[in-house]
Amino acid sequence: MNQRPAGAASQSLSAATEAVVQQLPLPRLPARSRSAGLAQLDGSIDHYLFSAMEQAGVAPAPPSTDFEFIRRVTLDLTGRIPTPDRVVGFVNDPTPDKRARLIEELLAKPEWVDKWTMYFGDLYKNNSRNTQISRFDEGRNAFYNYIHDSLAAGKPYDQMARELISVKGQNSFQQGESNWLVGGVVTGGPKQDITDQQAANIADTFLGITHMNCLLCHNGRGHLDSLSLWGSQGTRYQAWQFASFLSHTATFNTPVGDRKNHYYWSVLDDTARAKVDYQLNTTTGNRPARQPIGAQTAVAPVYWFSGRSPKPGEDYRVALAQEVTSDFQFARAAVNYMWAEFFGRGLVDPPDQFDPARLDPNNPPPAPWTLQPSNPRLLNALAQDFITNKYDLKALLREITNTRAYQLSARYNGTWNAAWEPLFARKLVRRLWAEEIHDAVAQSSNIVPSYTISRLGVTLPTINWAMQFPETAGMPDGNGPVAGFLDAFLRGNRDDEARSEDGSISQALDLMNDRFIMTRIRASGSGSSASLLARSLSLTDDQLVQTFFLTVLSRYPTDTEKATALANLRAGNRATEAQNLLWTLYNKVDFVFNY
C-alpha cells in the first residue's frame, strides 16, 4: 500500500488493523479479551507490534491460512513438514484453539529437540575442528549430547549458560559442556590470546555484543565511532577487565594413549602456578601488544556492565557466569536471537550487534544516534517475560508462535515497502535450512536414508534425518554426494562460514538434477516402504494430484494447478507424467521456502 499522511489515514487505518486483528486467533499467552479489540491487548507482543504499525501508517497483512500456518509452524518448531493426514485434520478442525493446541503438540515432539539441538549447535559452533583446534569426533559428539539432553530435559537457558561458562572438566570427550570454551582456544600466541577469545565468545553468544572482540584489540574511539555508541566510548582496558574473569582458566590437551595428534581437552583452574590476573606482558600473538601501564602489570576482573568484581576467594568463572546470566542484557540477547529465527530478522539486527548505549527507550541516545531496537519496549518486555518464566525456552517459543503477528500471511494486500520490515507487518519468508530440505524430501517421498557415520574409530548409531547430524561440515558422507547436496544450500561449517539463506544457481540445479532428488521421484519399494510414487499410481487421477500436493507442499492444488496436472497425466504415459509432476513439486518455489 502507499503511505498516506498519518492524520488523514489514522481512522481508516485503525479500522483496517482492527479487521485483521479480529480475524486472527487469540494468543494463548497472555490471554486477553477479544471483544474490545486492539486496545485490550496491552502488555502482549501483539499490542506492541500492531501499535507500532498504526503509528507508522502501515496496515498489516491478512492472516495466514490454516495451510500456511501448519506448514510454517511445523517447520519453524521441528524442522519437518507436516504429514498430509495432519494437514487435513488440522484444516478441518473447527475448534477456535486449534493453533494453540498444534503448537503444544509440536513443542512436545522429539523433532523439536532435534531442530533446536541443530540451532544451538550452530550458535555454540560445535564442530570436530575449526581453523585453530580440533575437538575430534568424540568431543563434538559429547557436546552434541549435552545440548540435546539439556533441551530434552527442559533445562533453563540461564543454567545452560552458567554451565558452559563455569565448567571444569578433565576430559572433553566425556564432559560435553567443556567443549564450548575449548572452541575459544587460539594457537600461535600467548595465553592471553585464548583468554581474549573465550571472553569475546561469551559476550557475543550470551550478550549479543560482537564488538567486545574489537575492544580486546584497541580502544573504540576511531574504530567503532560509526558502528556503536557504546563501543566508541569503550576502552581496551575495560575489555581486559572483562577478559580477566578467565585469566585463572587453563585450557590444555592430553594425548589419547599412543595415538599421534589425537587428544582430549581439559578446562580447569590454573593450578600449575600461582593464580595471577590478566597479565600485561605480551608483544607477540594474534592481538596487539599488552604492555604495563606505568607500574601496573596485571588487570583484575571487573564486570563491565555492573562494575562488580569477584568476592574474595570466589571462583572467577563462577562469578562471571552469575554476572552474565543475571544481566538483563543476557535475557534481551536470548529473546532477540529467538525472535530472529521466527520473524526473519531480530528486533536488533544483526542479532549479535547490540549497542548497549542505545537500548533504553526512557533514556534515548544523543543525536544523531537513535534507539537501536525496532521496538525497544517490546524487546524489554520479552526479556522480562523470559526472566519471569525462569528462562524457559519452550515458554518463549510458545509465546512467540501464538501471537497474531507471527500468524500473519506472507501475502500483502497492496504495495509492500521493504523499509517496513522492522514493523513485522507481514511474514518474511525464509529459505529452508539444508537439513530441512533434505528431511522434507526424504519424508514426503517415503524414501528415508540410513547413514552410518564412522571416522577415526568413532561410529555413531544409524542416522536417518539430517536434522540429527552432530555437525554441519562433512555430514553425512565427507565429500560425498549427499554432503555436496546439503552444502549447496549453504549450511555453513560452524567456524568461518555462517549458515546462510541466500539462493544460488547451484541450488536450483541440484533440485532439478541431483541424485538425491531423482531417486526419490521414482516408483520403488513395496508395502510400508513403497515410495510416494509407487503407492500413488493406483489412485485415481484426482486422488494422485491431491496426494502429491498435500504430501510435498502441505496444501491442495489451485484450480489451475489441478487442471494442468490432470491434463498432463491424461496426455502421455501416466507413470512418467506422475513422476514429472512430483519432480515439478520439488522444484516449486514454495517447497524450499517457508511462507
Side-chain angles (χ1 to χ4, degrees):
M1 58 167 279
N2 295 320
Q3 280 190 292
R4 293 165 288 182
S10 59
Q11 190 169 16
S12 60
L13 180 60
S14 177
T17 302
E18 180 65 13
V20 171
V21 168
Q22 293 298 336
Q23 292 178 65
L24 286 159
L26 277 174
R28 187 162 185 234
L29 290 175
R32 306 286 176 180
S33 168
R34 182 175 184 179
S35 59
L38 187 62
Q40 292 300 311
L41 294 172
D42 291 343
S44 72
I45 292 173
D46 287 314
H47 166 74
Y48 291 106
L49 291 179
F50 284 106
S51 295
M53 293 176 213
E54 291 231 28
Q55 291 169 14
V58 176
S64 59
T65 68
D66 282 344
F67 291 104
E68 292 168 337
F69 178 74
I70 188 172
R71 185 179 178 91
R72 175 191 305 175
V73 76
T74 305
L75 279 163
D76 283 353
L77 287 178
T78 70
R80 300 276 281 273
I81 58 175
T83 64
D85 288 347
R86 190 66 189 92
V87 172
V88 173
F90 176 76
V91 171
N92 291 335
D93 184 349
T95 57
D97 66 339
K98 66 180 181 181
R99 293 193 177 193
R101 287 189 290 107
L102 174 63
I103 289 166
E104 292 303 312
E105 174 188 321
L106 296 171
L107 289 171
K109 283 182 172 292
E111 291 85 358
W112 179 88
V113 180
D114 292 340
K115 165 76 181 261
W116 293 93
T117 300
M118 181 66 72
Y119 171 84
F120 284 107
D122 285 355
L123 183 65
Y124 299 154
K125 298 186 175 181
N126 180 27
N127 52 23
S128 55
R129 66 181 64 245
N130 62 32
T131 53
Q132 294 289 324
I133 57 93
S134 294
R135 290 187 180 93
F136 300 101
D137 287 16
E138 297 96 325
R140 176 207 65 202
N141 294 345
F143 196 9
Y144 173 91
N145 289 334
Y146 167 80
I147 298 169
H148 181 279
D149 294 349
S150 295
L151 293 172
K155 185 179 293 183
Y157 189 61
D158 64 328
Q159 181 181 340
M160 289 179 65
R162 283 195 299 273
E163 290 172 354
L164 294 176
I165 295 170
S166 65
V167 62
K168 291 179 177 61
Q170 294 278 359
N171 190 327
S172 61
F173 291 0
Q174 300 173 359
Q175 191 169 7
E177 61 266 40
S178 63
N179 285 280
W180 186 69
L181 281 175
V182 167
V185 172
V186 178
T187 60
K191 179 179 184 291
Q192 291 93 321
D193 278 2
I194 298 174
T195 300
D196 283 357
Q197 191 58 54
Q198 290 173 333
N201 290 349
I202 289 169
D204 191 352
T205 304
F206 295 119
L207 299 175
I209 303 175
T210 191
H211 290 129
M212 182 72 76
N213 209 354
C214 306
L215 292 165
L216 284 161
C217 283
H218 45 68
N219 293 339
R221 180 171 296 178
H223 295 276
L224 296 173
D225 297 32
S226 63
L227 299 176
S228 169
L229 176 59
W230 168 82
S232 70
Q233 298 169 346
T235 67
R236 193 181 186 197
Y237 187 84
Q238 289 171 297
W240 285 340
Q241 290 178 310
F242 184 86
S244 186
F245 280 95
L246 294 121
S247 60
H248 292 180
T249 302
T251 312
F252 56 91
N253 60 61
T254 301
V256 177
D258 58 355
R259 296 173 65 181
K260 294 182 179 180
N261 299 319
H262 194 83
Y263 43 83
Y264 59 82
W265 291 90
S266 299
V267 181
L268 300 168
D269 277 351
D270 193 349
T271 56
R273 57 185 174 84
K275 293 179 182 178
V276 294
D277 292 345
Y278 192 97
Q279 294 290 290
L280 301 178
N281 63 355
T282 72
T283 57
T284 62
N286 297 280
R287 296 183 188 265
R290 308 169 183 88
Q291 290 293 280
I293 303 170
Q296 183 179 356
T297 60
V299 179
V302 178
Y303 188 70
W304 194 320
F305 307 103
S306 69
R308 287 190 290 267
S309 299
K311 299 173 184 176
E314 186 178 14
D315 181 281
Y316 277 10
R317 280 192 290 118
V318 170
L320 176 60
Q322 184 59 39
E323 287 290 340
V324 168
T325 56
S326 61
D327 190 335
F328 192 71
Q329 180 57 28
F330 169 75
R332 208 158 27 199
V335 300
N336 190 58
Y337 275 124
M338 295 293 102
W339 187 272
E341 281 304 301
F342 287 93
F343 283 92
R345 59 178 294 141
L347 292 162
V348 168
D349 204 72
D352 66 347
Q353 292 188 18
F354 271 86
D355 184 344
R358 299 167 53 207
L359 301 177
D360 185 358
N362 297 319
N363 184 26
W369 295 94
T370 58
L371 286 169
Q372 186 186 31
S374 59
N375 198 316
R377 296 189 187 280
L378 169 57
L379 178 60
N380 288 343
L382 274 171
Q384 184 57 58
D385 197 51
F386 192 42
I387 295 168
T388 301
N389 284 318
K390 302 185 185 304
Y391 303 94
D392 185 333
L393 286 168
K394 281 191 177 180
L396 174 61
L397 304 194
R398 177 184 296 114
E399 186 164 7
I400 289 173
T401 51
N402 269 292
T403 61
R404 293 175 166 97
Y406 173 76
Q407 298 179 24
L408 291 175
S409 177
R411 294 170 288 109
Y412 193 73
N413 296 333
T415 302
W416 176 255
N417 185 337
W420 298 342
E421 285 188 5
L423 294 170
F424 306 100
R426 69 182 294 184
K427 170 69 168 67
L428 301 180
V429 301
R430 70 172 178 91
R431 206 247 305 130
L432 303 187
W433 295 1
E435 295 84 359
E436 290 174 322
I437 293 171
H438 172 286
D439 291 353
V441 173
Q443 175 184 317
S444 58
S445 66
N446 201 41
I447 302 177
V448 180
S450 294
Y451 299 119
T452 300
I453 299 174
S454 182
R455 186 168 58 182
L456 299 176
V458 178
T459 301
L460 292 172
T462 299
I463 294 175
N464 302 111
W465 305 101
M467 200 60 77
Q468 297 172 338
F469 292 159
E471 67 173 301
T472 53
M475 293 284 112
D477 52 354
N479 295 319
V482 180
F485 176 81
L486 289 162
D487 288 343
F489 293 93
L490 307 177
R491 57 181 171 161
N493 61 10
R494 294 181 173 173
D495 180 26
D496 55 359
E497 294 177 12
R499 184 183 293 276
S500 172
E501 295 180 9
D502 290 347
S504 70
I505 293 175
S506 64
Q507 293 170 14
L509 292 173
D510 277 358
L511 287 168
M512 288 190 288
N513 301 308
D514 191 88
R515 185 175 183 275
F516 186 78
I517 299 291
M518 300 306 292
T519 56
R520 285 172 169 77
I521 61 173
R522 300 169 185 159
S524 63
S526 60
S528 62
S529 62
S531 69
L532 174 61
L533 181 60
R535 69 188 186 193
S536 300
L537 288 175
S538 60
L539 301 176
T540 67
D541 289 350
D542 277 8
Q543 290 172 334
L544 184 147
V545 172
Q546 178 173 291
T547 296
F548 278 14
F549 271 82
L550 279 172
T551 304
V552 178
L553 301 182
S554 311
R555 64 173 176 83
Y556 293 117
T558 65
D559 290 343
T560 300
E561 289 169 335
K562 181 178 180 180
T564 302
L566 290 175
N568 289 337
L569 281 175
R570 295 160 182 168
N573 179 280
R574 187 173 187 271
T576 299
E577 292 303 328
Q579 181 174 309
N580 291 341
L581 173 59
L582 187 53
W583 178 90
T584 299
L585 297 186
Y586 285 134
N587 281 275
K588 281 182 69 66
V589 69
D590 44 338
F591 177 68
V592 292
F593 281 87
N594 193 20
Y595 287 89

